[in-house]
Amino acid sequence: MKVSDHIKEAKGETLFSFEIIPPLKGHRIQELYDNIDPLMEFKPPFIDVTTSREEYVYIDRDGLLDKKLTRMRPGTVGICASIKHKYDVDTVPHLLCGGFSKEETEYVLVDCHYLGIDNVMALRGDAMKDEKYFKPTKGGHDYAVGLVEQLDALNRGNYLHDTVETDHCADFCIGVAGYPEKHLEAPSLKSDLKRLKQKVDAGAHYVVTQMFFDNQKYFDFVDAAREIGIEVPIIPGIKPIAVKRHLQLLPQVFRIDLPQDLIDAVDDCKDNKAVRQVGVEWCIEQSRELKAAGVPVLHYYSMGKSDNIKAIAGKVF
Ligand code: FAD
């Protein structure tokens, strides 16, 4: 079932969902199940599974370094299919422009269609680890809007090089990313919002936001989006702080601000166990306020371990 239909069916009640990251290559899927199991009591209608960009590794061959391209966390679509069938829950694979040609994307989408996956998140992806700027992959899309256009065309039976009969064509519900504190490359929030509108106009059905720690940023973002005619649901994505290093890492990687009260509370912690507790408490307060404001879904970024998300959901749902 589509994310947009889950939201309609909920009739204004806030739903619970979360995002997981595939395990490192060579690890077992049981590790994922062990972290998903405790969250299923909160009845998520859908679970997102991220996709990681390819990266370069250097292999020592008799003193000479051989540069090879690899993907550390492959398996997004396979994981989506496994979770869908094990838990009878909808799954949302993340699709990236970076690292995929349009043809490769089409094949992934054909697999999704056969597997009964009804939703996808259309994303550009970041620059590769050792590159400063995002470089489009040869034969791939430059921006997420291109991916949305490809998906929208495919929903109408228009594959890349052929038109297929439309009776059996896919009907993906398309999610896209939004940034309450603007995307790090965007020259202004206003221009980033215009880009978001382009993705929605191209066929996106809902937006999931980048994490934020001050709810006012989300409320202002939704108001500004509505003002320029973005009418689709805007799902807040939130994440509990888990380690002290997040104070530097999150602003550096995502260019987001942290509220001073949260920084002070984390600074006062004597170890990461205490930081994790502060993160949980902050996120409970954020969640309660967002739920009271009637957000369609509370979507949690679970970075592997789910004990903190369970502690939050237990107080909010
Ligand atoms: P876009 O919408 O393409 O925007 C990228 C930048 O380009 C923005 O600054 C935008 O303003 C600008 N822009 C857009 N269109 C144009 C245009 N036509 N001309 C000029 N500028 C333009 N990353 C992963 O690698 N894997 C994941 O699974 C993943 N999941 C995510 C889930 C969510 C909810 C979010 C919020 C982010 C996720 N990301 C993920 C990170 C995401 O890939 C990065 O933030 C990436 O840098 C931008 O992706 P986008 O889809 O927002 O890009």
Side-chain angles (χ1 to χ4, degrees):
M1 186 166 148
K2 294 177 176 185
V3 167
S4 52
D5 289 337
H6 281 297
I7 293 173
K8 269 184 221 143
E9 262 194 14
K11 297 198 170 76
E13 204 178 299
T14 301
L15 301 168
F16 163 81
S17 78
F18 59 96
E19 175 179 301
I20 54 167
I21 301 174
L24 285 169
K25 199 158 56 185
H27 286 233
R28 294 171 318 130
I29 197 164
Q30 187 59 42
E31 293 168 27
L32 272 186
Y33 295 156
D34 292 345
N35 280 304
I36 294 173
D37 285 345
L39 299 179
M40 293 316 286
E41 69 173 278
F42 304 107
K43 301 195 173 17
F46 61 92
I47 299 172
D48 278 50
V49 183
T50 64
T51 292
S52 302
R53 278 217 65 174
E54 74 283 27
E55 54 191 274
Y56 285 112
V57 286
Y58 297 88
I59 302 161
D60 191 346
R61 295 203 197 281
D62 300 329
L64 290 175
L65 286 183
D66 204 359
K67 189 178 174 186
K68 292 282 179 203
L69 207 53
T70 186
R71 214 171 272 276
M72 299 293 192
R73 295 175 185 271
T76 299
V77 172
I79 291 169
C80 281
S82 305
I83 295 174
K84 182 174 165 58
H85 294 290
K86 179 173 165 63
Y87 297 100
D88 191 19
V89 65
D90 281 300
T91 46
V92 187
H94 289 194
L95 300 181
L96 301 181
C97 304
F100 296 88
S101 67
K102 291 172 196 169
E103 281 76 8
E104 285 164 336
T105 296
E106 185 169 285
Y107 302 147
V108 169
L109 290 169
V110 169
D111 284 345
C112 289
H113 185 41
Y114 288 148
L115 290 165
I117 292 169
D118 296 326
N119 306 281
V120 290
M121 247 333 248
L123 300 148
R124 190 197 67 178
D126 287 319
M128 283 177 70
K129 263 190 191 143
D130 36 3
E131 289 178 351
K132 235 178 164 176
Y133 303 103
F134 176 85
K135 286 191 199 143
T137 297
K138 194 163 176 259
H141 297 287
D142 295 6
Y143 295 102
V145 67
L147 193 47
V148 177
E149 283 162 1
Q150 181 176 358
L151 277 155
D152 184 64
L154 198 132
N155 277 350
R156 285 178 282 109
N158 296 325
Y159 285 68
L160 286 173
H161 308 302
D162 328 87
T163 298
V164 175
E165 54 173 312
T166 49
D167 289 2
H168 308 291
C169 64
D171 186 17
F172 291 110
C173 177
I174 308 165
V176 289
Y179 301 84
E181 297 177 60
K182 95 171 179 67
H183 182 256
L184 55 115
E185 293 162 30
S188 72
L189 184 56
K190 199 171 170 188
S191 104
D192 204 27
L193 269 163
K194 276 193 191 162
R195 300 302 185 190
L196 180 60
K197 174 103 173 23
Q198 285 171 354
K199 292 191 276 192
V200 173
D201 291 346
H205 300 100
Y206 69 100
V207 176
V208 182
T209 74
Q210 182 57 278
M211 68 185 77
F212 55 88
F213 293 88
D214 173 357
N215 286 347
Q216 196 53 49
K217 300 253 164 79
Y218 167 82
F219 295 133
D220 292 346
F221 177 70
V222 174
D223 286 347
R226 300 296 180 230
E227 253 173 49
I228 61 163
I230 296 174
E231 284 168 7
V232 298
I234 301 180
I235 298 174
I238 53 176
K239 169 188 159 63
I241 292 251
V243 290
K244 218 167 216 179
R245 222 167 90 76
H246 277 159
L247 287 189
Q248 286 79 43
L249 212 62
L250 299 178
Q252 191 188 336
V253 176
F254 303 109
R255 308 283 159 83
I256 51 174
D257 280 346
L258 300 179
Q260 193 57 46
D261 286 353
L262 176 59
I263 299 169
D264 292 343
V266 171
D267 270 342
D268 288 346
C269 292
K270 62 177 191 321
D271 55 26
N272 276 334
K273 193 171 168 223
V275 173
R276 210 166 168 84
Q277 188 52 32
V278 165
V280 165
E281 281 161 21
W282 189 273
C283 202
I284 289 172
E285 289 312 309
Q286 265 196 285
S287 304
R288 284 182 171 150
E289 190 184 23
L290 290 163
K291 193 166 175 248
V295 300
V297 183
L298 278 166
H299 185 72
Y300 294 93
Y301 294 113
S302 116
M303 309 302 285
K305 296 229 157 56
S306 60
D307 61 300
N308 51 358
I309 307 297
K310 182 177 164 69
I312 296 158
K315 297 280 184 191
V316 178
F317 289 91

